[in-house]
Amino acid sequence: MNRELVWTAERWPGMEYTSVGIAEDRITADGTIIAVVDAQPVRLRYQVDCDSSWRPVRVSVTLHGRPAVSLRRTGDRWYDTDGRERPDLAGCLDVDIALTPFTNTIPIRRLGLEVGDSADIDVVYIHPVTTVDISPARQRYTRSQAGFTYESGSFRADLLVDPDGFVIEYPGLWTLTTR
């Protein structure tokens, strides 16, 4: 299965185009975001590779004008672009790139929650606007009839998803314009 997804930003001017390839043994996503976030122009390219169970094994983020930042996962350990271990990210299974609704699909697909079920997860949180900041974060997903409630710290959003787990509506932030 291959999907081409285009989201329109609601909070700021911007769009995202992401191509997702789903094969028997891996999932790959290649996305580009062009936006103006808090008066800061952003051109971001990302790639996420997951195994067949939607567990990320590699992520690369390139903020225009800056060197690419890459991470790869082996077991429960993450390694940076130079092959150095990132002990602060140990145990994080999922990846959340702050500017894209695509990375919400990763835990949604991986967890396979039933309506009413919740899961707390540790993620590699990547926040790219003027620099690419990477830190661990705790998040919660709760399955509802219409989608998922996503929580991180004091932030909460009710995500509407399509049958494949891709975000259709991220209230106040993104709306899928391709179906």
Side-chain angles (χ1 to χ4, degrees):
M1 175 173 103
N2 291 309
R3 292 279 300 265
E4 290 183 313
L5 305 160
V6 176
W7 286 277
T8 302
E10 295 178 9
R11 181 177 287 177
W12 51 76
M15 295 196 78
E16 173 177 349
Y17 168 85
T18 298
S19 175
V20 181
I22 301 175
E24 268 186 44
D25 61 340
R26 70 174 193 250
I27 294 97
T28 59
D30 185 351
T32 301
I33 300 168
I34 297 176
V36 179
V37 179
D38 299 329
Q40 176 69 42
V42 176
R43 185 171 83 186
L44 173 77
R45 176 145 188 223
Y46 69 87
Q47 295 175 298
V48 179
D49 296 329
C50 299
D51 66 16
S52 61
S53 297
W54 287 85
R55 291 182 302 243
V57 294
R58 190 182 74 78
V59 61
S60 177
V61 176
T62 305
L63 194 56
H64 178 69
R66 305 218 180 247
V69 175
S70 296
L71 294 169
R72 69 176 171 76
R73 184 178 60 80
T74 302
D76 70 346
R77 298 177 189 272
W78 287 91
Y79 298 87
D80 69 13
T81 305
D82 298 321
R84 291 183 302 251
E85 183 177 351
R86 288 284 308 260
D88 59 322
L89 304 177
C92 295
L93 186 56
D94 295 295
V95 170
D96 183 1
I97 302 170
L99 292 181
T100 174
F102 168 73
T103 52
N104 295 100
T105 297
I106 296 169
I108 286 171
R109 289 293 299 260
R110 184 181 64 74
L111 293 168
L113 298 174
E114 298 293 328
V115 173
D117 288 347
S118 295
D120 292 314
I121 60 173
D122 293 315
V123 303
V124 174
Y125 183 73
I126 302 170
H127 188 269
V129 176
T130 56
T131 63
V132 178
D133 296 319
I134 300 172
S135 61
R138 178 70 111 162
Q139 298 178 349
R140 171 179 278 245
Y141 284 83
T142 303
R143 178 80 187 261
S144 66
Q145 290 290 349
F148 291 82
T149 299
Y150 162 75
E151 298 171 89
S152 183
S154 61
F155 181 82
R156 178 186 167 127
D158 292 319
L159 309 177
L160 296 178
V161 299
D162 71 9
D164 294 321
F166 294 102
V167 174
I168 297 170
E169 182 73 29
Y170 197 129
L173 291 177
W174 295 99
T175 299
L176 186 67
T177 54
T178 59
R179 302 272 167 125

